[in-house]
Amino acid sequence: MMKLSAWRQMTEPGCWAGILVVLCTLSMGADVQQALKTPSMPSTVLQRHKRAWKWDKLYVYEETPKIQPEKIGKLDNTLFSVDTRYRLSGEGANDIFSVNDNGDIFVNAMLDREKKSTYKLSASITNIKNNKQMDNDETFVIVVLDINDNIPVFPPDLSGSISESSITGSIVMTVKATDADDPTTQNGKIEYRLLNGTDLFNINNKGEIITLKSDLDREKQSQYLIAIQAKDMPGIMSGNSATTIVTININDINDNIATFKTGKYHFNVKEDSEIGFTIGILEVEDKDETQNKDPTFTIQQQYGEMFGINQSNEKDGILSLKVPLDYEKVKMYTFSVNVDEHTVSTKADNQGPNLLKRAEVSINVIDVDEPPVFSQTEYTFSIYEGPFKNPRIGAVSARDPDSTGYKIRYSIEDPNCPVAVDPVGHLSLKWQLDREQKSSYTFQVTAHEDKPNGLKSYAMVNLKVLDINDNEPELTNGSYVYVCESDKPGTIIGTIGAYDKDENSGRFRFTLTKKSSNFSLYDNQDNTSSIVLRQGGFSTEHSVEHVLEIEIADGGTPEKKSINPLPIKVCKCQPGRRIEYCMAYAQTGMSVSALLAILLCIATILVIVILIVLRRRYQKDVLVTKSSGEIHEQLVRYDEEGGGEMDTNGYDVSILTSACHDSSFRPGAGPSLYAKVKKPPACKGDMAMMIEVKKDEADHDRDGIPYDTLHIYGYEGSESLAGSLSSLDSSSSGSNLDYDFLNEWGPRFRTLAQLYGVDGSDTDSSY
């Protein structure tokens, strides 16, 4: 398209507006064309009428290179003079658009209509000497005219679908391309054309792809790739165009019939197969997709009760077992199965004598060793609770289905089951039952072949315990009975009820065992009874505890009765018999069971005390008779040297030094801590006699502390001529003790006498 600047080179400046009308009529929008046709269309020199700005739209083409500013119009005002200047303000003023001193409007940059299609500006006239505005501002619009500078654009990944065998003229999909040019001009309008597949499809100016035939067949071709061209400037050879590929998928419908893949099917099935067991698959052939397949299978009539057939997920036939098989009765089954399918259309391929719509099925029954079979899968029996005269409940029965016919024996494996079974299947009670504890029992009875490693089977047995009237009725709601100080005679002070653990008990009857002057009992005939006040005047400060004895009969067979005490509290109440507080009564009596419990506790405490005393006495006897040797053995260690005289931690020897000087260790008039020691005469052989004396005293003195433990190390005896043998406070010189008597004790003490400085030369001659 020719640019406006080229026309200006060939025409006079005053004539360019007329030429512009001719060139732009085809490419301008409707609003622009209407403006050009209007008689009031302004010229390039804008006229002022009646001293008022009068403006219309100015036009400029987009994408026009601007080597130098291009004049697009002129401002004019009657107030214009050498002292005035025109000024622009608004969108793009003094940047994209400018005005010179003469009022000529120039565009200084290349415009893009797709970014901005119009610009709003204001023109003003100002005196340059006093900077005073001469007239009011006026607004005008510059319109950017479109050129065909954009190509159509398709959205990505275009695809559509249509069902096979659709009628001619069916819409497959709609294609929509976009063009950024002005949609009101030929630049922005688009036309479509198919580049291939024109024998099957067509496309209109709306972008709708339509079928031309009705014989689309998914089984022959399931997808088509169609090239589509979109071009602007419809009806004109020139223009911009774009091409895309559209994927058209042919959707499947159920237009093919199902047939068997083979005419005969053979299966082997064990006779012990369970009901519902899958015997095999009858495969069918159907060209349709799985979701559109819908075959129907029919089994030969007399075999339909024994075998069933259903569709699999792949729409094949699943042959299953409906009743148990028995090899001993029937060893082989042969029957026919038909397949049929209702399709939505008729094809030539769906007809013909060679289609396998019927197949023969053979089932071979395989013999197995079967477990016993009960006559019932579940047994139900009932028996009354309580003592029984005849423990017999019922019987179970099973048989060996095999031809061998082994004998069957029965057992119950649960040791906690209250029922026993004998080898022939008779059930009987093992102990008495109580319905109130447990009302029903469920257990298994095992039947096993009477042979080594015989097979087993199980049957469930349900035992229901029937009720007898063996429980006494109990009083209920007794805690809600109380009398208020303000109650008047005839007031119902409470309603009691009854409860019986037995089921289906009759109507309860309530009676007072003893007449009461204060209260009466009224049977409501609905298993409740009301307590009625006969006379008032009760007080919480001067009142005694009132107890009614109520007899309740349950009306069963045999009838059970119970006597229930009902204590009645005296309370201070607010209006509406709302309790404020009640009088608390101390218990004046004690039940026999409570008394027995107290006596039992006292007896237990006495037994424990006696046992403790006996144990302590026994321990004391054992200490005297048996522990002396152990204590002696523990303390008398002649081979242990210790830590010397300074080792006071291991051996406290201070008691040895104090024993001789402390009068408390000497025997007095009272009982001594240690056994009295009789000093044997100091002569030859007296040492042995002393040992015997000490042994005799130790054997007969049961209350004394063992001599060997305390006498030797704690106290050496009174009036001993030898004194202490400890080295504390003693030495070989400076001692006041005379150790000459050691020489009189014989040669065994000679070394000891020498240690203490005794000259044994005087006594050697006597030995």
Side-chain angles (χ1 to χ4, degrees), residues 107-341:
V107 59
N108 302 317
M110 186 170 61
L111 305 180
D112 189 350
R113 190 202 68 83
E114 284 71 44
K115 293 182 178 179
K116 190 171 181 62
S117 60
T118 59
Y119 293 86
K120 293 182 180 181
L121 295 96
S122 296
S124 62
I125 183 169
T126 307
N127 190 312
I128 59 176
K129 291 184 177 180
N130 56 16
N131 200 26
K132 180 180 179 182
Q133 185 170 337
M134 304 298 295
D135 200 352
N136 295 329
D137 293 349
E138 286 293 334
T139 302
F140 63 97
V141 177
I142 298 178
V143 178
V144 182
L145 300 177
D146 182 50
I147 66 172
N148 191 15
D149 59 341
N150 290 279
I151 63 174
V153 177
F154 285 99
D157 301 328
L158 290 173
S159 64
S161 62
I162 189 171
S163 298
E164 60 180 332
S165 301
S166 296
I167 62 174
T168 302
S170 300
I171 297 177
V172 179
M173 61 180 294
T174 300
V175 178
K176 188 68 176 178
T178 58
D179 195 323
D181 291 326
D182 189 354
T184 63
T185 67
Q186 293 292 94
N187 299 334
K189 295 181 180 180
I190 299 175
E191 64 178 358
Y192 301 93
R193 185 168 66 93
L194 297 183
L195 302 182
N196 67 322
T198 55
D199 58 331
L200 298 174
F201 306 99
N202 189 23
I203 189 169
N204 56 26
N205 289 333
K206 296 179 181 180
E208 296 175 343
I209 300 177
I210 304 172
T211 60
L212 297 178
K213 295 182 178 181
S214 61
D215 58 351
L216 294 176
D217 192 347
R218 188 200 66 86
E219 286 72 36
K220 293 181 179 179
Q221 186 170 347
S222 61
Q223 189 178 83
Y224 294 90
L225 299 178
I226 304 299
I228 300 178
Q229 182 188 67
K231 189 183 80 65
D232 56 17
M233 304 290 291
I236 301 176
M237 295 299 296
S238 62
N240 299 320
S241 65
T243 304
T244 188
I245 301 297
V246 175
T247 302
I248 299 178
N249 297 308
I250 308 302
N251 297 332
D252 183 54
I253 62 173
N254 187 11
D255 59 347
N256 291 278
I257 196 168
T259 59
F260 288 111
K261 289 186 177 181
T262 181
K264 292 185 178 181
Y265 296 90
H266 184 79
F267 305 102
N268 294 321
V269 183
K270 294 182 179 180
E271 65 171 332
D272 62 347
S273 299
E274 297 180 355
I275 296 176
F277 172 75
T278 299
I279 299 174
I281 305 296
L282 305 181
E283 294 183 348
V284 297
E285 185 176 5
D286 191 338
K287 295 180 181 179
D288 293 326
E289 293 181 346
T290 303
Q291 70 272 12
N292 295 317
K293 296 178 182 179
D294 190 21
T296 302
F297 301 92
T298 306
I299 298 178
Q300 191 175 340
Q301 185 175 1
Q302 58 267 37
Y303 296 94
E305 296 181 356
M306 297 191 62
F307 306 99
I309 188 166
N310 298 304
Q311 288 185 6
S312 67
N313 294 334
E314 292 75 22
K315 302 303 175 70
D316 294 323
I318 301 177
L319 188 62
S320 59
L321 189 63
K322 296 174 68 175
V323 296
L325 300 178
D326 192 345
Y327 174 82
E328 286 71 27
K329 293 182 179 180
V330 181
K331 298 178 177 58
M332 174 72 74
Y333 295 90
T334 303
F335 52 91
S336 62
V337 178
N338 296 332
V339 62
D340 194 9
E341 185 174 11

Side-chain angles (χ1 to χ4, degrees), residues 483 487-491 493 518-519 531-536 538:
V483 60
D487 284 344
K488 304 297 182 182
T491 301
I493 64 172
N518 297 319
F519 307 97
I531 309 298
V532 181
L533 184 65
R534 300 182 66 178
Q535 60 181 3
F538 289 88

Side-chain angles (χ1 to χ4, degrees), residues 445-462:
V445 176
T446 304
H448 52 90
E449 297 174 338
D450 193 6
K451 68 171 185 176
N453 300 323
L455 298 179
K456 298 180 180 180
S457 62
Y458 304 90
M460 297 299 299
V461 178
N462 299 315

Side-chain angles (χ1 to χ4, degrees), residues 350-496:
N350 294 339
Q351 300 176 359
N354 297 326
L355 297 177
L356 293 176
K357 295 185 177 182
R358 174 177 294 184
E360 184 181 280
V361 178
S362 299
I363 298 177
N364 183 34
V365 182
I366 300 175
D367 186 27
V368 295
D369 187 9
E370 298 176 272
V373 178
F374 279 93
S375 59
Q376 300 176 217
T377 57
E378 187 172 346
Y379 294 85
T380 301
F381 301 102
S382 60
I383 191 170
Y384 282 99
E385 65 175 330
F388 50 82
K389 297 180 181 179
N390 182 11
R392 179 79 176 271
I393 298 175
V396 295
S397 176
R399 65 177 181 85
D400 185 4
D402 296 320
S403 57
T404 53
Y406 287 106
K407 184 180 178 181
I408 306 299
R409 302 185 68 85
Y410 305 89
S411 63
I412 297 176
E413 298 177 357
D414 185 4
N416 298 322
C417 180
V419 179
V421 62
D422 61 15
V424 296
H426 294 154
L427 301 175
S428 60
L429 284 179
K430 293 162 60 176
W431 56 74
Q432 177 178 311
L433 302 180
D434 187 354
R435 189 201 66 85
E436 284 70 40
Q437 293 182 357
K438 192 171 184 180
S439 60
S440 63
Y441 296 86
T442 301
F443 54 91
Q444 279 187 341
V445 176
T446 304
H448 52 90
E449 297 174 338
D450 193 6
K451 68 171 185 176
N453 300 323
L455 298 179
K456 298 180 180 180
S457 62
Y458 304 90
M460 297 299 299
V461 178
N462 299 315
L463 178 61
K464 182 179 180 181
V465 183
L466 302 178
D467 183 50
I468 63 174
N469 194 23
D470 59 344
N471 290 279
E472 296 179 351
E474 301 175 6
L475 181 68
T476 60
N477 298 331
S479 60
Y480 298 101
V481 180
Y482 59 93
V483 60
C484 295
E485 292 179 331
S486 59
D487 284 344
K488 304 297 182 182
T491 301
I492 298 176
I493 64 172
T495 301
I496 59 174

Side-chain angles (χ1 to χ4, degrees), residues 713-737:
Y713 297 98
Y715 180 65
E716 296 182 3
S718 60
E719 300 179 0
S720 174
L721 297 177
S724 175
L725 296 179
S726 174
S727 61
L728 298 175
D729 298 332
S730 65
S731 64
S732 59
S733 63
S735 176
N736 295 327
L737 299 178

Side-chain angles (χ1 to χ4, degrees), residues 64 72 81 94 200 218 284 328 408 507 547 676 682 728:
T64 303
I72 60 174
S81 65
N94 303 318
L200 298 174
R218 188 200 66 86
V284 297
E328 286 71 27
I408 306 299
R507 186 179 63 80
V547 178
K676 284 188 176 182
L728 298 175

